[in-house]
């Protein structure tokens, strides 16, 4: 299961517990935003960590450049920032 937000990852853990499914034997769960307690879950949750600060900084730069030059911000403007897969114990098996 790929959980786009922390609450869905936790809901996935609860659903597995309620239905007798075992993580990672029966199902694997991966979260998207590297919640602080990911390594405290049992088993620890593998997550994808995004560079949130860098994303905000780049977005602000594009916005302010457009405002200072009094020009429209084009939807075709883009920049790729690398995310990181934080592999924890449960993805094995």
């Amino acid at each position: 299961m790929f959980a786009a937000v922390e609450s869905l990852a936790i809901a996935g853990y609860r659903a597995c517990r309620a239905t007798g499914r075992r993580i990672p034997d029966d199902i694997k769960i991966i979260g998207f935003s590297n919640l602080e307690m990911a390594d405290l879950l049992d088993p620890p949750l593998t997550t994808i960590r995004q560079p949130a600060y860098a994303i905000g900084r780049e977005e602000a730069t594009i916005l302010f450049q457009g405002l200072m030059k009094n020009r429209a911000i084009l939807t075709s403007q883009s920049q790729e920032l690398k995310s990181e897969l934080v592999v924890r114990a449960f993805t094995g098996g």
Side-chain angles (χ1 to χ4, degrees):
M1 179 180 112
F2 179 77
V5 294
E6 292 92 354
S7 60
L8 291 177
I10 293 169
Y13 273 72
R14 286 185 179 138
C16 287
R17 188 177 324 135
T19 59
R21 302 262 188 316
R22 296 170 297 152
I23 304 169
D25 299 327
D26 300 325
I27 188 169
K28 293 177 179 26
I29 301 175
I30 296 179
F32 190 66
S33 57
N34 198 32
L35 67 145
E36 290 182 25
M37 60 184 256
D39 60 338
L40 299 176
L41 294 172
D42 184 29
L45 177 66
T46 290
T47 59
I48 297 172
R49 178 187 302 143
Q50 287 189 292
Y53 180 82
I55 291 170
R57 184 184 62 231
E58 293 301 319
E59 289 296 325
T61 299
I62 292 169
L63 174 64
F64 287 129
Q65 285 175 349
L67 291 172
M68 297 294 281
K69 295 178 181 177
N70 198 22
R71 64 181 169 144
I73 298 167
L74 304 174
T75 57
S76 62
Q77 288 179 286
S78 66
Q79 182 170 355
E80 182 178 329
L81 299 173
K82 300 292 182 186
S83 295
E84 175 188 1
L85 180 64
V86 181
V87 178
R88 296 196 173 88
F90 93 96
T91 52

